Amino acid sequence: GCFFEIFLLLGLDISWQVLQLAEYEALRQALQEIKEQERYILLARVIDEKGFAEIADEVGLSYKGTAAVYYRKGLIPCFA
C-alpha cells in the first residue's frame, strides 16, 4: 500500500526497506516480551555500553546476577 508508493517515489530499494521494517518489528516484539529489568540490563549493556558492575549497582543485583540475566535471555547473538 502506502509504504510501497513512498519507497517508489523516493527511488528506494523496496526489498531492503521491507527487510529493515521486518527486523525492526522483530526487535520491538522481542523487547516487549522480556521483563522491564531484563530490558534495562540488555539496553544498558548494548546501547549505553555500560559494564556489568555499573548496571548491577543501578538495578540492585550482584555483578554475577546481572551478567546471568544478560546472557540467559538468549538475545545476545542478535547484537553481536
Side-chain angles (χ1 to χ4, degrees):
C2 183
F3 283 118
F4 288 107
E5 293 169 11
I6 293 170
F7 293 151
L8 288 173
L9 287 172
L10 295 175
L12 299 174
D13 179 357
I14 294 172
S15 61
W16 181 82
Q17 293 293 329
V18 170
L19 286 175
Q20 289 293 96
L21 289 171
E23 288 177 7
Y24 169 79
E25 179 58 26
L27 176 59
R28 188 188 65 74
Q29 184 66 32
L31 288 172
Q32 282 185 332
E33 291 177 3
I34 61 176
K35 296 175 185 173
E36 185 177 345
Q37 184 181 61
E38 296 167 339
R39 185 171 42 253
Y40 181 86
I41 291 169
L42 176 66
L43 295 177
R45 182 77 171 155
V46 174
I47 304 296
D48 298 332
E49 299 180 350
K50 293 181 179 181
F52 289 130
E54 183 179 1
I55 299 168
D57 286 341
E58 293 173 355
V59 298
L61 294 175
S62 68
Y63 177 96
K64 286 184 177 182
T66 302
V69 169
Y70 179 78
Y71 289 111
R72 179 175 59 232
K73 291 312 336 170
L75 296 173
I76 306 317
C78 297
F79 297 101

